[in-house]
Amino acid sequence: MNCRSEVLEVTVEARQVEESMLALLHTILLHRSTGKFHYKKEGTYSIGTVGTLDIDCDFIDFTFVRVSSEELDRVIRRAVSEFKDALSNSGSDGMGQISLEFYQKKKSRWPFSDECIPWEVWSIKVNVVNLANEQERQICREKVGEKLGEKVINVVEVINRHEYLPKMPTQSEVDNVFDTSLKDVQPYLYKITFQITDSLGTSVSTTMRRLIKDTLAL
Amino acid sequence: MDSGLSPQDKKDLDKFIKFFALKTVQVIVQARLGEKICTHSSSSPTGSDWFNLAIKDIPEVTHEAKKALAGQLPGIGRSMCVEISLKTSEGDSMELETWCLEMNEKCDKDIKVSYTVYNRLSVLLKSLLAITRVTPAYKLSRKQGHDYVILYRIYFGEVQLSGLGEGFQTVRVGVVGTPVGTVTLSCAYRTNLAFMSNRQFERSAPIMGIIVDHFVDPPCNSQRPANMGQPCNYRAPEDDDGPFAGVQDSQEVCTTSFSTSPPSQLYASRLSYQPPALGGAAELSHPTANPNQVLHAGKEGGVVLAPAQPPHGADAHLTVEHAPNTPGSSGDDDGLSNSGYGRRDEGRRCASPSDPVESLNAFTRKIGAFVNKPSAQITAASLDLPFAAFAPRGLDSEENDPMVQPPDSPPCHSPLQASLHSQGSEGSGPQDDFVMIDFRPAFSKDDLLPMDLGTFYREFQNPPQLASLSLHISSQSMADDLDSLPEKLAVYEKNIDEFDAFVDMLQ
């Protein structure tokens, strides 16, 4: 199956990394989450309600909307925080990429583990810059806010093409399509990974490790 | 156009489009209220959350939207538009953006109404939520309040973008194909924010064209007049919306149940509607097309709800204080009184008392959090009003209207001046240069305290100058400063490590 792949690129200051990533990841997840499914007899199901929340950024002139789910927010924050730490510890020029991948699970026979087949991958490339003075920082606040707005419009544009989405699953299959671990919302199955690019432009071992881990996933 | 679309599908589709239009308006207006929106996710469906999204319904906004739609649906050539504009406290106004919900002829015959269209409309609403925070008007609306307010206006028909100035940009939120056409949602927003102060007066000139109170039908409008629109303000109703119970027909039951049956059988398996929470609607059981393929026994609440909104019952809740306004102001001088503040708690206004403050006939006053009920204030104001000078004399009050504040926040210099001017009841003519009048400061009552406000003013009217501001002392201190400079420098040099550490910490 062809996997849809979208790349977004942002240039931010170090202190803006966290919020800009949260903004974009949450915007994508807002569109890729539904309410909890409640299966009833005879193959019908009803869908819970998704609430939304406006979040103001502290270091960027920007407000984004996220799904009203603290659990989901925690998960995303943790991933972004790891990415941010990796970026700042890498000692590189501050280039990295965080990926949000939506996948479906396909059950395989024993001894092979389930296959994860991605159907949509969002890659957000980050360039971190250092600014010299407060005035530049102020300009950066506004500029990054505008850029993020453009990125949100890009995201919305892609999503509203209404291209492939996994079929709505039956009750037995729902865990192959959706992440049902959260109490209040149900995003499509997703995973977040990142890689840091060192100054030579080659990506560091994290990608290799990830690939190996996935192949041998048991 | 409808060939191939079953009557049930057509009915569902119409319902979806209708509620989509209403929810679109809610999202847009709520995004321009100036506050952060927060709604909660709920894992159990309630049957009233259209498109599985928790979007509150502001009754006033729903009312306006329904009024604009007048029973029609957005269709080809009939777009529903929400215009967002800004109005300053001086009366200047400017259109900021126009959101358009349009329909074009491109049909998608094969799409499943009850399932795919519904879900895609839900995604489109989420996109709208995201995009409304991105256009320039969002930041403006978050800062509204004292200097300007944000207004909205809903109209139906041809899209009008001329008010957006040159070089306006368009952003498309999304499209959803349906068997009867493609629903498109987009926003055109102004990029040139220079003010055009003359426009406002052109538009407001015809008094009849201005809606004084949007809950009272203006005498002559077959279509909506080009007026200033409604303020994007909202007073959160108390939890159960007392007078509103049963009025919210947006709680017309929405689809909450879907089927996981394979596509070929989807057509036959209808949505099961939850019985409406409000009760009173007869549940009809809908005969499915292929009885032998019924996959669920859900009954369909064929809710033919047209709960008549009590004509002013709906209004009663939000606009309790409007009541005095409507009969009182037959002179529509209140003009744009409805386009006042966007403040949350101050969205209501009442007519001024006619007597005894007759010079303030057109003077509308806001009811705010800190203001007493009108009647009490009227009697208190039987004394001269301190701010009489600021009220227009028989002119339309639109310039002043946004300036009206709850009395406890006057401009600071005014008490003195205003009281000197409040001669109305004293009977002294304004032409005289020097008139001995009783000094009546604002907010004071005579004989209340031994030392009353007036005495206080008089005593402290001319305070002595601050010592540090006087010239010869300042020059002395300058000399002292210069002398002590070397000592200070020595101390700082000693502590240089501390300072360095501090600076490092900041970086």
Side-chain angles (χ1 to χ4, degrees):
Chain A
M1 163 207 318
N2 289 329
C3 170
R4 190 162 57 241
S5 172
E6 304 295 335
V7 179
L8 306 166
E9 201 162 332
V10 287
T11 302
V12 295
E13 252 197 302
R15 62 183 185 165
Q16 295 170 323
V17 168
E18 189 161 0
E19 286 178 337
S20 51
M21 294 304 103
L22 283 174
L24 293 175
L25 292 174
H26 271 303
T27 300
I28 299 167
L29 279 165
L30 169 70
H31 291 84
R32 293 284 179 246
S33 301
T34 72
K36 295 285 291 181
F37 281 14
H38 295 276
Y39 286 92
K40 304 190 275 226
K41 14 183 210 283
E42 293 158 346
T44 60
Y45 61 95
S46 55
I47 307 184
T49 303
V50 171
T52 58
L53 196 51
D54 284 340
I55 304 290
D56 288 336
C57 296
D58 292 325
F59 299 111
I60 312 175
D61 276 348
F62 192 65
T63 301
F64 63 93
V65 181
R66 71 163 171 87
V67 162
S68 202
S69 164
E70 296 309 314
E71 279 180 80
L72 182 63
D73 188 39
R74 272 198 292 273
V75 170
I76 306 300
R77 279 185 185 272
R78 206 170 345 144
V80 168
S81 186
E82 280 175 29
F83 173 62
K84 188 184 76 156
D85 291 339
L87 257 187
S88 51
N89 294 337
S90 69
S92 69
D93 279 349
M95 279 177 42
Q97 176 175 298
I98 192 168
S99 299
L100 172 60
E101 178 186 301
F102 292 101
Y103 64 94
Q104 267 179 271
K105 267 202 262 192
K106 190 168 149 199
K107 294 244 184 275
S108 314
R109 290 163 168 276
W110 186 88
F112 301 106
S113 63
D114 296 339
E115 246 183 288
C116 293
I117 305 172
W119 51 271
E120 187 174 77
V121 178
W122 298 86
S123 304
I124 309 174
K125 292 201 168 124
V126 182
N127 294 322
V128 181
V129 294
N130 287 318
L131 297 176
N133 62 47
E134 202 48 46
Q135 197 190 10
E136 282 183 31
R137 284 198 192 105
Q138 186 56 35
I139 297 174
C140 189
R141 263 185 84 99
E142 291 161 14
K143 277 233 165 81
V144 171
E146 283 169 23
K147 277 283 167 213
L148 281 182
E150 285 172 30
K151 299 302 159 197
V152 165
I153 293 176
N154 291 350
V155 166
V156 161
E157 205 180 355
V158 169
I159 288 182
N160 274 275
R161 284 186 215 145
H162 298 299
E163 290 166 348
Y164 174 80
L165 274 184
K167 211 161 53 138
M168 283 300 152
T170 56
Q171 188 167 14
S172 52
E173 302 267 298
V174 71
D175 289 313
N176 293 342
V177 176
F178 287 101
D179 175 359
T180 51
S181 63
L182 302 171
K183 275 199 320 279
D184 41 14
V185 294
Q186 194 172 283
Y188 281 98
L189 276 175
Y190 69 94
K191 62 169 101 134
I192 300 181
T193 53
F194 60 84
Q195 59 197 66
I196 309 296
T197 325
D198 68 19
S199 38
L200 294 174
T202 55
S203 46
V204 184
S205 54
T206 28
T207 318
M208 282 313 295
R209 263 189 264 134
R210 179 171 68 87
L211 276 174
I212 295 167
K213 225 173 23 162
D214 279 349
T215 324
L216 298 175
L218 285 165
Chain B
M1 178 166 74
D2 285 355
S3 61
L5 198 63
S6 76
Q8 183 57 39
D9 268 350
K10 177 81 176 71
K11 192 170 148 209
D12 285 344
L13 187 59
D14 285 347
K15 204 189 254 197
F16 294 169
I17 293 180
K18 172 186 166 193
F19 282 99
F20 181 75
L22 295 177
K23 287 294 181 182
T24 295
V25 175
Q26 289 289 346
V27 167
I28 294 169
V29 173
Q30 287 176 29
R32 299 288 177 262
L33 287 178
E35 303 157 356
K36 294 205 292 192
I37 302 296
C38 166
T39 56
H40 299 287
S41 305
S42 153
S43 65
S44 29
T46 58
S48 61
D49 290 324
W50 276 94
F51 307 105
N52 308 117
L53 282 174
I55 297 173
K56 275 200 208 106
D57 282 320
I58 301 179
E60 191 180 73
V61 174
T62 307
H63 178 92
E64 286 297 316
K66 284 188 174 158
K67 214 161 79 161
L69 286 172
Q72 295 182 300
L73 287 179
I76 296 161
R78 298 190 313 265
S79 310
M80 189 189 76
C81 301
V82 182
E83 181 188 281
I84 301 289
S85 53
L86 175 152
K87 185 179 174 205
T88 65
S89 48
E90 283 121 33
D92 290 324
S93 77
M94 184 163 77
E95 273 172 49
L96 295 176
E97 43 184 34
T98 301
W99 297 83
C100 309
L101 178 60
E102 302 170 288
M103 186 86 119
N104 69 32
E105 301 94 5
K106 189 162 155 224
C107 302
D108 186 343
K109 298 263 182 233
D110 301 324
I111 203 168
K112 304 284 180 297
V113 168
S114 60
Y115 165 70
T116 312
V117 171
Y118 189 81
N119 285 336
R120 287 188 181 176
L121 288 174
S122 175
V123 169
L124 187 51
L125 266 182
K126 290 175 183 166
S127 300
L128 182 65
L129 279 163
I131 300 275
T132 42
R133 275 65 173 170
V134 156
T135 53
Y138 181 71
K139 290 205 188 96
L140 287 171
S141 68
R142 287 292 296 271
K143 296 184 196 149
Q144 70 180 295
H146 189 77
D147 296 324
Y148 61 85
V149 289
I150 303 292
L151 312 177
Y152 73 93
R153 178 171 82 93
I154 309 172
Y155 62 90
F156 194 70
E158 291 272 329
V159 180
Q160 298 154 22
L161 298 179
S162 52
L164 294 174
E166 278 178 25
F168 65 85
Q169 302 266 7
T170 312
V171 60
R172 194 165 79 160
V173 182
V175 297
V176 172
T178 76
V180 301
T182 300
V183 174
T184 313
L185 187 51
S186 60
C187 171
Y189 60 91
R190 164 186 286 276
T191 51
N192 170 17
L193 290 175
F195 256 122
M196 300 169 293
S197 48
N198 296 331
R199 288 186 64 240
Q200 190 267 335
F201 296 107
E202 285 166 29
R203 288 170 84 184
S204 63
I207 297 266
M208 290 300 260
I210 296 168
I211 290 184
V212 171
D213 179 329
H214 51 250
F215 294 109
V216 174
D217 286 332
C220 64
N221 67 334
S222 48
Q223 65 179 36
R224 290 186 65 83
N227 69 338
M228 300 307 293
Q230 320 307 326
C232 288
N233 61 0
Y234 170 53
R235 189 180 78 92
E238 283 75 36
D239 262 34
D240 290 317
D241 295 5
F244 263 157
V247 152
Q248 288 167 350
D249 62 339
S250 65
Q251 280 194 359
E252 188 169 336
V253 151
C254 63
T255 61
T256 57
S257 192
F258 298 83
S259 172
T260 53
S261 52
S264 60
Q265 291 173 322
L266 246 178
Y267 181 80
S269 59
R270 286 283 114 218
L271 303 167
S272 78
Y273 285 70
Q274 304 268 358
L278 301 176
E283 286 178 76
L284 315 172
S285 58
H286 176 74
T288 56
N290 302 348
N292 57 338
Q293 283 184 1
V294 170
L295 292 176
H296 67 89
K299 293 177 291 205
E300 231 175 303
V303 178
V304 186
L305 267 188
Q309 275 188 339
H312 291 283
D315 316 341
H317 177 70
L318 264 189
T319 60
V320 161
E321 284 81 8
H322 268 276
N325 198 14
T326 45
S329 43
S330 53
D332 303 18
D333 291 342
D334 292 342
L336 304 167
S337 61
N338 62 343
S339 51
Y341 274 126
R343 289 237 183 103
R344 264 187 108 218
D345 294 328
E346 296 177 339
R348 296 149 282 160
R349 45 200 67 94
C350 75
S352 63
S354 44
D355 283 330
V357 196
E358 50 222 338
S359 61
L360 302 175
N361 255 342
F363 185 66
T364 52
R365 189 186 301 177
K366 291 269 202 97
I367 299 280
F370 308 105
V371 178
N372 289 328
K373 287 262 160 51
S375 55
Q377 281 197 319
I378 291 165
T379 52
S382 58
L383 312 166
D384 51 308
L385 259 184
F387 304 106
F390 296 93
R393 310 254 172 224
L395 299 173
D396 59 328
S397 64
E398 58 185 271
E399 284 108 346
N400 278 321
D401 191 68
M403 297 305 287
V404 173
Q405 306 230 19
D408 53 338
S409 53
C412 47
H413 65 280
S414 62
L416 237 42
Q417 284 186 8
S419 55
L420 289 174
H421 282 112
S422 55
Q423 307 157 1
S425 43
E426 303 294 332
S428 12
Q431 283 77 14
D432 299 334
D433 282 338
F434 296 101
V435 178
M436 293 303 289
I437 55 164
D438 244 355
F439 181 67
R440 289 194 190 225
F443 313 119
S444 78
K445 279 204 182 147
D446 292 331
D447 304 319
L448 202 54
L449 295 165
M451 162 98 157
D452 81 314
L453 199 55
T455 324
F456 177 79
Y457 275 140
R458 278 188 286 270
E459 279 193 32
F460 295 102
Q461 242 176 16
N462 292 311
Q465 207 178 24
L466 285 175
S468 56
L469 288 180
S470 67
L471 269 178
H472 83 108
I473 291 187
S474 68
S475 60
Q476 250 183 15
S477 64
M478 172 84 142
D480 286 337
D481 278 344
L482 283 174
D483 287 334
S484 65
L485 212 46
E487 293 157 26
K488 285 192 190 158
L489 279 174
V491 171
Y492 296 151
E493 269 180 22
K494 255 199 302 178
N495 295 333
I496 203 164
D497 291 321
E498 258 183 64
F499 292 128
D500 281 338
F502 179 67
V503 170
D504 284 331
M505 190 176 73
L506 287 176
Q507 279 179 348

